[in-house]
Amino acid sequence: MRSLTVLVLAAVAASLLAPPARAADASAAILGIVRTDAGTPVGDARVALTSPSARYATRSDARGHFTVAAVDPDVYAVEVTKDGFATWRLAGVVANPGTTVRLTVTLAPQLQTIGSTAATIPRAFNAGAPQDTFTVSGTEARGPLGAASSGLAEYTRGTVQSVVARVPGVQQDAFANVVIRGGKVDDTVFGYDGVPVPQAIIAEPGGNVIGAQLPTTGLGFTRVTTGGFSTGADDALGGIVDEIPQIGVYPARTTLTTGLGLLAPGRNVEINRLWATPSLRQRYAIDAQIGSQAIRYGDGTSFYPAEAATYGLALADRATWSVAGNAHLRSGARDDVETLALAGEATYDQYGTPFGGQTYGAFDGAQTAFPGEPSSGAPVLTPTRIRGTYAIEKIEDLRTYDQSYARLRLYRSQYGAQTNAPFFDDLSFPNGVISYAGRQSGVLTGFGFDVKTFAAERHRTAYGIEL
């Protein structure tokens, strides 16, 4: 009992002292130059960017340069027009979060034949060489179950661990904690749409697998930077993981997904709804899911030492629910106000096999009784139950200018964990069966303001404050 208490306190301290990440840049930037066949800059050309989730319009300056500093991640069609020239179009321009897309537009005279239009299809992830940044997008960002899965892979399905495991250079320890570039668990920081997330949601609070790892509910992208000093969160030594949610689109999209386990009992229901007004001035997204699954190890009836050493992952059931939603409201041509919320819970039951005659009284102290015991002589028949909760809230105002943007945001993220383990069958401890009951929680509130300016084609300035 004392050994476990020491481990719990050490893990809690590490969780609470882990440095939070500063706000991530979830937007992209699209820069370009407009010129003639002879290379002469074309000023005052109209540039329009269109996607299902956003529309932007700007004009080229006297040098032919144009900048859209804050672009919502999506796949865009670009159209450039200028009186006296044929319209230039390019489809399939992929704007991943945190990236800069550069375009070269060559306008031909009105009567000249227009060349072919190129299109690209976004891949599962794109690598940004300067910072070793990988963006996992689309269905892959939701962390689906792989074809060859073990019990641990089942356990991490639909969580941030299952997504980042697809990124080169990322490892996981025996407890599914993320390790980037061979560092330690605390060397990786996490964020949800720019909101720093307490480490205890990701790492196992108190050394207990709560099943409430940061989920992929409602996500459109997961961005992994394998080197903290090359990003805004330079207080992270290993890397940064940013989860970026979907936003509303027009026309609307509704997806209903259901699943039923055949080989292992389980069920899941999820509804995803994205919609917006035709003008895209109001955009909404909501994703809700509920499910349960049996995580079976070995032959499904007994422990194997290597599996039970993973803090009792053998013979387990997990039940989860989560809801994520956001709304973007444009009060004008330059302002976008976002409200965001994520909430969820996971309950994890480990079914050990108590020794014959095992009673609650075996875990009582000289002056204390095990929390919730029916009586000291009652037999131990209930499973170890670990319950985790999490919630994230944010409101943000993004104001864009011709070559810059400014963001102001308020946020809060919190977690909680409850453990009731009258019989914790963990073979990794030399003293045999252990018991533990405890609670922990944490809340992180913050305020942030930052500005980014694209001063020239290859130079930019960024500054801000985070409290």
Side-chain angles (χ1 to χ4, degrees):
M1 183 66 181
R2 292 182 178 178
S3 299
L4 179 61
T5 302
V6 173
L7 286 175
V8 170
L9 294 177
V12 171
S15 299
L16 297 180
L17 295 177
R22 291 200 279 271
D25 189 356
S27 62
I30 296 182
L31 288 65
I33 183 172
V34 184
R35 60 191 181 189
T36 65
D37 288 338
T40 304
V42 177
D44 201 35
R46 296 177 292 276
V47 181
L49 283 66
T50 305
S51 75
S53 65
R55 298 172 192 157
Y56 303 93
T58 187
R59 290 176 179 264
S60 60
D61 60 19
R63 300 175 301 153
H65 294 283
F66 66 87
T67 301
V68 184
V71 175
D72 289 325
D74 210 330
V75 181
Y76 287 85
V78 182
E79 181 176 282
V80 181
T81 58
K82 172 74 173 178
D83 294 341
F85 294 89
T87 299
W88 184 92
R89 296 184 177 89
L90 179 63
V93 176
V94 180
N96 278 322
T99 61
T100 299
V101 179
R102 300 183 183 275
L103 301 175
T104 299
V105 179
T106 302
L107 294 182
Q110 187 86 46
L111 300 179
Q112 185 171 332
T113 302
I114 303 175
S116 60
T117 299
T120 60
I121 300 176
R123 298 175 294 172
F125 62 83
N126 294 332
Q131 285 103 15
D132 293 329
T133 299
F134 300 87
T135 301
V136 184
S137 61
T139 303
E140 298 297 315
R142 309 296 293 279
L145 186 62
S149 63
S150 65
L152 195 58
E154 280 275 6
Y155 170 72
T156 61
R157 178 170 60 92
T159 69
V160 66
Q161 286 96 327
S162 64
V163 178
V164 299
R166 303 166 185 268
V167 174
V170 174
Q171 297 175 313
Q172 295 184 11
D173 63 15
F175 316 119
N177 291 318
V178 175
V179 178
I180 296 181
R181 304 185 82 170
K184 298 179 294 184
V185 172
D186 287 346
D187 289 340
T188 301
V189 293
F190 298 81
Y192 188 91
D193 200 29
V195 178
V197 176
Q199 183 77 3
I201 293 183
I202 311 300
E204 301 145 14
N208 293 321
V209 181
I210 65 170
Q213 309 98 325
L214 195 63
T216 58
T217 306
L219 288 191
F221 303 86
T222 298
R223 189 164 179 256
V224 181
T225 303
T226 59
F229 284 108
S230 60
T231 73
D234 54 1
D235 50 3
L237 300 178
I240 299 93
V241 178
D242 298 317
E243 292 194 328
I244 301 169
Q246 298 170 311
I247 57 178
V249 299
Y250 182 83
R253 301 174 187 170
T254 303
T255 304
L256 176 64
T257 305
T258 62
L260 180 64
L262 297 178
L263 299 180
R267 56 187 181 274
N268 184 77
V269 178
E270 178 181 6
I271 184 168
N272 180 277
R273 170 75 171 170
L274 308 175
W275 74 100
T277 59
S279 64
L280 295 180
R281 294 178 67 92
Q282 301 174 27
R283 297 171 292 171
Y284 307 92
I286 187 168
D287 189 28
Q289 57 181 313
I290 183 171
S292 63
Q293 63 184 131
I295 308 172
R296 297 296 182 240
Y297 278 69
D299 58 11
T301 59
S302 60
F303 288 106
Y304 290 125
E307 294 161 353
T310 310
Y311 285 98
L313 272 179
L315 305 177
D317 292 329
R318 183 179 68 163
T320 62
W321 68 264
S322 56
V323 178
N326 64 78
H328 288 259
L329 306 177
R330 290 190 178 276
S331 56
R334 295 186 179 274
D335 279 288
D336 181 74
V337 178
E338 176 193 9
T339 56
L340 172 142
L342 166 70
E345 175 184 295
T347 301
Y348 174 87
D349 287 349
Q350 172 208 315
Y351 291 91
T353 305
F355 298 124
Q358 186 76 62
T359 64
Y360 279 95
F363 309 120
D364 293 344
Q367 304 294 329
T368 60
F370 190 84
E373 69 174 25
S375 67
S376 61
V380 176
L381 301 176
T382 59
T384 290
R385 170 158 289 185
I386 307 168
R387 176 176 174 265
T389 59
Y390 48 84
I392 296 173
E393 303 161 351
K394 183 186 79 165
I395 182 169
E396 175 181 287
D397 182 27
L398 172 67
R399 184 170 180 83
T400 58
Y401 301 90
D402 290 341
Q403 293 182 324
S404 63
Y405 68 80
R407 292 187 301 175
L408 177 67
R409 60 195 169 275
L410 298 171
Y411 56 80
R412 180 176 68 174
S413 58
Q414 56 186 329
Y415 75 93
Q418 296 178 335
T419 303
N420 190 293
F423 185 89
F424 205 89
D425 190 356
D426 192 322
L427 302 185
S428 64
F429 284 87
N431 296 330
V433 177
I434 57 177
S435 65
Y436 171 68
R439 295 185 179 185
Q440 61 174 283
S441 62
V443 179
L444 176 67
T445 59
F447 157 84
F449 175 75
D450 67 295
V451 176
K452 178 175 282 189
T453 300
F454 294 82
E457 182 182 4
R458 298 187 180 278
H459 298 276
R460 67 195 64 179
T461 302
Y463 56 92
I465 183 173
E466 192 94 8
L467 300 176

